[in-house]
Amino acid sequence: MSTVAAVVLFIGVIAYAVLGGADYGAGFWDLTAGGARRGRRPRHLVDESLAPVWEANHVWLIFCLVMVWTAFPTAFAATMTTLYIPLGLAALGIVVRGAGFAFRKVMVRTDQQRLTGAAFAISSVLVPFFLGAIAGGIASGRVPPAGHGDPIGSWVNPTSFLGGVLAVLVCAYVAAVFLTAEARRRDDTELETWFRRRSLATAMATGLVALAGILVLRADSPRLFDALLTRGLPLVLLSGACGLTALVLLRRGAPRLLQALAVGAVGTVIAGWGVAQYPNLLGTHTTISAAAAPEPTLWALTIVAAVALLMVVPSMALLFVLAQRGRLDSSH
């Protein structure tokens, strides 16, 4: 049951990485779109794409938090008492980001719009960086089983820095592919070209950082490095194949196919990390079974999580359909 709970938890992690990642990545392109005049149209597409779904994506973050503190309470306590600085900064960034996105739509003065827009865009980069740094700290074994680890060294280290940078780049890549597909769906050739070029540039940057990251992991996290090159390798290769295929089809591929390939690229690399770390939950020393709650709790949680997924997944699908169409066709 502990393994089942861990798999359900990781499904939530993958969902948040994909959907929340596209959300944060759109903020990255908002930040780098240029001045008010040059960046007006890309930002307008970002606004229209995010507005219906931006807050719903955090459902998966809440789902993951509930799963961890209920199914693996000792691991949750260890993580919170060690990585409280990046966790707090990420939480603050989520709040600032949401407030900035909401308030910039109702501000009248230009200076206020710029301030709230900057809050949204900058926090869209900082939040995935901190989340990636947290993942790096956990994966490299810097969270001790008893908690209260080094509050600085646990996330200021080579693996955490690699995780943070990769998280920002991956989010930017997913968002660029999604927005390319969205621009094509709207028959906006200029914006399609704008985002397609950034998809290619971000993919190249992500690939270069990933190649450099091989040396970082080999020196700083040898166990994770070895596992990624063995049992995690098929998923890593599948991720690369999905990413490359999406880039090849950027010019002519159907929007839904491009989005599916981007989702596959991110989802499989996150799954590869999970497979590489198994059976440990915290880096190299705390196994899933050792950190798990009593079995009756796991049974109850699994049933509740299954019911929650049966409710949330169709609701999210309906939300995305409505966001894409603007309405629900009577024939469907």
PDB file of all heavy atoms in Angstrom, residues 49 52 181-182 185-186 255-256 259 318-327:
ATOM      1  N   SER A  49      -4.955  32.863 -22.561  1.00  0.00           N
ATOM      2  CA  SER A  49      -4.738  31.429 -22.398  1.00  0.00           C
ATOM      3  C   SER A  49      -4.773  31.018 -20.931  1.00  0.00           C
ATOM      4  O   SER A  49      -5.236  29.928 -20.588  1.00  0.00           O
ATOM      5  CB  SER A  49      -3.396  31.025 -23.019  1.00  0.00           C
ATOM      6  OG  SER A  49      -3.365  31.330 -24.393  1.00  0.00           O
ATOM      7  N   PRO A  52      -8.659  31.378 -17.846  1.00  0.00           N
ATOM      8  CA  PRO A  52      -9.667  30.414 -17.401  1.00  0.00           C
ATOM      9  C   PRO A  52      -9.114  29.297 -16.505  1.00  0.00           C
ATOM     10  O   PRO A  52      -9.891  28.625 -15.835  1.00  0.00           O
ATOM     11  CB  PRO A  52     -10.181  29.816 -18.726  1.00  0.00           C
ATOM     12  CG  PRO A  52      -9.650  30.685 -19.810  1.00  0.00           C
ATOM     13  CD  PRO A  52      -8.378  31.258 -19.279  1.00  0.00           C
ATOM     14  N   ALA A 181       0.872  26.344 -30.302  1.00  0.00           N
ATOM     15  CA  ALA A 181      -0.333  25.637 -30.730  1.00  0.00           C
ATOM     16  C   ALA A 181      -1.569  26.526 -30.606  1.00  0.00           C
ATOM     17  O   ALA A 181      -2.460  26.505 -31.464  1.00  0.00           O
ATOM     18  CB  ALA A 181      -0.507  24.367 -29.895  1.00  0.00           C
ATOM     19  N   GLU A 182      -1.628  27.322 -29.533  1.00  0.00           N
ATOM     20  CA  GLU A 182      -2.779  28.209 -29.334  1.00  0.00           C
ATOM     21  C   GLU A 182      -2.824  29.296 -30.408  1.00  0.00           C
ATOM     22  O   GLU A 182      -3.901  29.627 -30.924  1.00  0.00           O
ATOM     23  CB  GLU A 182      -2.700  28.848 -27.947  1.00  0.00           C
ATOM     24  CG  GLU A 182      -3.855  29.765 -27.594  1.00  0.00           C
ATOM     25  CD  GLU A 182      -5.189  29.055 -27.499  1.00  0.00           C
ATOM     26  OE1 GLU A 182      -5.203  27.813 -27.361  1.00  0.00           O
ATOM     27  OE2 GLU A 182      -6.229  29.731 -27.583  1.00  0.00           O
ATOM     28  N   ARG A 185      -4.082  27.731 -33.525  1.00  0.00           N
ATOM     29  CA  ARG A 185      -5.534  27.503 -33.443  1.00  0.00           C
ATOM     30  C   ARG A 185      -6.299  28.782 -33.741  1.00  0.00           C
ATOM     31  O   ARG A 185      -7.404  28.740 -34.287  1.00  0.00           O
ATOM     32  CB  ARG A 185      -5.887  26.985 -32.047  1.00  0.00           C
ATOM     33  CG  ARG A 185      -7.292  26.447 -31.911  1.00  0.00           C
ATOM     34  CD  ARG A 185      -7.543  25.947 -30.502  1.00  0.00           C
ATOM     35  NE  ARG A 185      -7.571  27.033 -29.537  1.00  0.00           N
ATOM     36  CZ  ARG A 185      -8.640  27.777 -29.291  1.00  0.00           C
ATOM     37  NH1 ARG A 185      -9.764  27.555 -29.944  1.00  0.00           N
ATOM     38  NH2 ARG A 185      -8.602  28.739 -28.391  1.00  0.00           N
ATOM     39  N   ARG A 186      -5.700  29.926 -33.417  1.00  0.00           N
ATOM     40  CA  ARG A 186      -6.352  31.220 -33.657  1.00  0.00           C
ATOM     41  C   ARG A 186      -5.989  31.811 -35.023  1.00  0.00           C
ATOM     42  O   ARG A 186      -6.354  32.948 -35.324  1.00  0.00           O
ATOM     43  CB  ARG A 186      -5.945  32.205 -32.562  1.00  0.00           C
ATOM     44  CG  ARG A 186      -6.420  31.810 -31.171  1.00  0.00           C
ATOM     45  CD  ARG A 186      -5.763  32.655 -30.104  1.00  0.00           C
ATOM     46  NE  ARG A 186      -6.179  32.257 -28.771  1.00  0.00           N
ATOM     47  CZ  ARG A 186      -6.845  33.013 -27.907  1.00  0.00           C
ATOM     48  NH1 ARG A 186      -7.145  34.253 -28.239  1.00  0.00           N
ATOM     49  NH2 ARG A 186      -7.185  32.561 -26.726  1.00  0.00           N
ATOM     50  N   PRO A 255      -2.340  21.308 -33.361  1.00  0.00           N
ATOM     51  CA  PRO A 255      -2.138  21.880 -32.022  1.00  0.00           C
ATOM     52  C   PRO A 255      -2.251  20.851 -30.898  1.00  0.00           C
ATOM     53  O   PRO A 255      -1.437  20.826 -29.978  1.00  0.00           O
ATOM     54  CB  PRO A 255      -3.243  22.944 -31.936  1.00  0.00           C
ATOM     55  CG  PRO A 255      -3.472  23.352 -33.345  1.00  0.00           C
ATOM     56  CD  PRO A 255      -3.296  22.105 -34.158  1.00  0.00           C
ATOM     57  N   ARG A 256      -3.257  19.980 -30.960  1.00  0.00           N
ATOM     58  CA  ARG A 256      -3.430  18.995 -29.897  1.00  0.00           C
ATOM     59  C   ARG A 256      -2.244  18.034 -29.836  1.00  0.00           C
ATOM     60  O   ARG A 256      -1.820  17.609 -28.754  1.00  0.00           O
ATOM     61  CB  ARG A 256      -4.730  18.220 -30.116  1.00  0.00           C
ATOM     62  CG  ARG A 256      -5.983  19.078 -30.042  1.00  0.00           C
ATOM     63  CD  ARG A 256      -6.274  19.512 -28.614  1.00  0.00           C
ATOM     64  NE  ARG A 256      -7.411  20.416 -28.554  1.00  0.00           N
ATOM     65  CZ  ARG A 256      -8.677  20.031 -28.519  1.00  0.00           C
ATOM     66  NH1 ARG A 256      -8.977  18.743 -28.564  1.00  0.00           N
ATOM     67  NH2 ARG A 256      -9.642  20.936 -28.441  1.00  0.00           N
ATOM     68  N   GLN A 259       0.737  19.752 -28.181  1.00  0.00           N
ATOM     69  CA  GLN A 259       0.541  19.836 -26.733  1.00  0.00           C
ATOM     70  C   GLN A 259       0.752  18.473 -26.073  1.00  0.00           C
ATOM     71  O   GLN A 259       1.364  18.375 -25.005  1.00  0.00           O
ATOM     72  CB  GLN A 259      -0.860  20.375 -26.439  1.00  0.00           C
ATOM     73  CG  GLN A 259      -1.028  21.838 -26.837  1.00  0.00           C
ATOM     74  CD  GLN A 259      -2.467  22.307 -26.779  1.00  0.00           C
ATOM     75  OE1 GLN A 259      -3.390  21.496 -26.771  1.00  0.00           O
ATOM     76  NE2 GLN A 259      -2.676  23.615 -26.753  1.00  0.00           N
ATOM     77  N   LEU A 318     -13.166  19.198 -18.577  1.00  0.00           N
ATOM     78  CA  LEU A 318     -14.255  20.069 -19.005  1.00  0.00           C
ATOM     79  C   LEU A 318     -13.831  21.531 -18.998  1.00  0.00           C
ATOM     80  O   LEU A 318     -14.162  22.299 -19.915  1.00  0.00           O
ATOM     81  CB  LEU A 318     -15.466  19.874 -18.083  1.00  0.00           C
ATOM     82  CG  LEU A 318     -16.675  20.782 -18.354  1.00  0.00           C
ATOM     83  CD1 LEU A 318     -17.219  20.558 -19.761  1.00  0.00           C
ATOM     84  CD2 LEU A 318     -17.765  20.533 -17.313  1.00  0.00           C
ATOM     85  N   LEU A 319     -13.056  21.922 -17.990  1.00  0.00           N
ATOM     86  CA  LEU A 319     -12.577  23.302 -17.912  1.00  0.00           C
ATOM     87  C   LEU A 319     -11.720  23.648 -19.120  1.00  0.00           C
ATOM     88  O   LEU A 319     -11.878  24.718 -19.726  1.00  0.00           O
ATOM     89  CB  LEU A 319     -11.772  23.502 -16.623  1.00  0.00           C
ATOM     90  CG  LEU A 319     -11.143  24.881 -16.409  1.00  0.00           C
ATOM     91  CD1 LEU A 319     -12.220  25.958 -16.325  1.00  0.00           C
ATOM     92  CD2 LEU A 319     -10.291  24.882 -15.150  1.00  0.00           C
ATOM     93  N   PHE A 320     -10.822  22.734 -19.506  1.00  0.00           N
ATOM     94  CA  PHE A 320      -9.949  23.000 -20.656  1.00  0.00           C
ATOM     95  C   PHE A 320     -10.762  23.022 -21.957  1.00  0.00           C
ATOM     96  O   PHE A 320     -10.460  23.806 -22.861  1.00  0.00           O
ATOM     97  CB  PHE A 320      -8.839  21.959 -20.730  1.00  0.00           C
ATOM     98  CG  PHE A 320      -7.733  22.204 -19.749  1.00  0.00           C
ATOM     99  CD1 PHE A 320      -7.494  21.321 -18.710  1.00  0.00           C
ATOM    100  CD2 PHE A 320      -6.918  23.320 -19.853  1.00  0.00           C
ATOM    101  CE1 PHE A 320      -6.486  21.551 -17.792  1.00  0.00           C
ATOM    102  CE2 PHE A 320      -5.901  23.557 -18.946  1.00  0.00           C
ATOM    103  CZ  PHE A 320      -5.686  22.665 -17.911  1.00  0.00           C
ATOM    104  N   VAL A 321     -11.767  22.153 -22.057  1.00  0.00           N
ATOM    105  CA  VAL A 321     -12.619  22.171 -23.257  1.00  0.00           C
ATOM    106  C   VAL A 321     -13.339  23.503 -23.378  1.00  0.00           C
ATOM    107  O   VAL A 321     -13.382  24.122 -24.450  1.00  0.00           O
ATOM    108  CB  VAL A 321     -13.631  21.003 -23.206  1.00  0.00           C
ATOM    109  CG1 VAL A 321     -14.706  21.185 -24.280  1.00  0.00           C
ATOM    110  CG2 VAL A 321     -12.914  19.681 -23.410  1.00  0.00           C
ATOM    111  N   LEU A 322     -13.903  23.957 -22.275  1.00  0.00           N
ATOM    112  CA  LEU A 322     -14.600  25.244 -22.291  1.00  0.00           C
ATOM    113  C   LEU A 322     -13.650  26.397 -22.587  1.00  0.00           C
ATOM    114  O   LEU A 322     -14.012  27.359 -23.275  1.00  0.00           O
ATOM    115  CB  LEU A 322     -15.301  25.477 -20.954  1.00  0.00           C
ATOM    116  CG  LEU A 322     -16.493  24.549 -20.645  1.00  0.00           C
ATOM    117  CD1 LEU A 322     -16.974  24.766 -19.223  1.00  0.00           C
ATOM    118  CD2 LEU A 322     -17.621  24.796 -21.631  1.00  0.00           C
ATOM    119  N   ALA A 323     -12.426  26.312 -22.046  1.00  0.00           N
ATOM    120  CA  ALA A 323     -11.450  27.368 -22.292  1.00  0.00           C
ATOM    121  C   ALA A 323     -11.053  27.408 -23.763  1.00  0.00           C
ATOM    122  O   ALA A 323     -10.827  28.482 -24.331  1.00  0.00           O
ATOM    123  CB  ALA A 323     -10.214  27.148 -21.424  1.00  0.00           C
ATOM    124  N   GLN A 324     -10.967  26.233 -24.399  1.00  0.00           N
ATOM    125  CA  GLN A 324     -10.574  26.178 -25.804  1.00  0.00           C
ATOM    126  C   GLN A 324     -11.701  26.645 -26.724  1.00  0.00           C
ATOM    127  O   GLN A 324     -11.469  27.358 -27.682  1.00  0.00           O
ATOM    128  CB  GLN A 324     -10.192  24.739 -26.180  1.00  0.00           C
ATOM    129  CG  GLN A 324      -8.884  24.263 -25.559  1.00  0.00           C
ATOM    130  CD  GLN A 324      -7.679  24.869 -26.244  1.00  0.00           C
ATOM    131  OE1 GLN A 324      -7.564  24.829 -27.469  1.00  0.00           O
ATOM    132  NE2 GLN A 324      -6.772  25.430 -25.471  1.00  0.00           N
ATOM    133  N   ARG A 325     -12.929  26.255 -26.406  1.00  0.00           N
ATOM    134  CA  ARG A 325     -14.048  26.546 -27.300  1.00  0.00           C
ATOM    135  C   ARG A 325     -14.775  27.830 -26.941  1.00  0.00           C
ATOM    136  O   ARG A 325     -15.457  28.410 -27.777  1.00  0.00           O
ATOM    137  CB  ARG A 325     -15.055  25.398 -27.268  1.00  0.00           C
ATOM    138  CG  ARG A 325     -14.490  24.084 -27.792  1.00  0.00           C
ATOM    139  CD  ARG A 325     -15.558  23.009 -27.703  1.00  0.00           C
ATOM    140  NE  ARG A 325     -15.055  21.725 -28.197  1.00  0.00           N
ATOM    141  CZ  ARG A 325     -15.739  20.600 -28.127  1.00  0.00           C
ATOM    142  NH1 ARG A 325     -16.944  20.601 -27.606  1.00  0.00           N
ATOM    143  NH2 ARG A 325     -15.220  19.480 -28.589  1.00  0.00           N
ATOM    144  N   GLY A 326     -14.670  28.234 -25.666  1.00  0.00           N
ATOM    145  CA  GLY A 326     -15.434  29.375 -25.212  1.00  0.00           C
ATOM    146  C   GLY A 326     -16.864  29.013 -24.834  1.00  0.00           C
ATOM    147  O   GLY A 326     -17.604  29.802 -24.279  1.00  0.00           O
ATOM    148  N   ARG A 327     -17.258  27.787 -25.142  1.00  0.00           N
ATOM    149  CA  ARG A 327     -18.604  27.303 -24.812  1.00  0.00           C
ATOM    150  C   ARG A 327     -18.583  25.786 -24.940  1.00  0.00           C
ATOM    151  O   ARG A 327     -17.630  25.207 -25.453  1.00  0.00           O
ATOM    152  CB  ARG A 327     -19.651  27.897 -25.746  1.00  0.00           C
ATOM    153  CG  ARG A 327     -19.393  27.530 -27.213  1.00  0.00           C
ATOM    154  CD  ARG A 327     -20.349  28.272 -28.138  1.00  0.00           C
ATOM    155  NE  ARG A 327     -20.002  28.018 -29.529  1.00  0.00           N
ATOM    156  CZ  ARG A 327     -20.420  26.972 -30.219  1.00  0.00           C
ATOM    157  NH1 ARG A 327     -21.179  26.055 -29.637  1.00  0.00           N
ATOM    158  NH2 ARG A 327     -20.092  26.817 -31.482  1.00  0.00           N
TER     159      ARG A 327
END
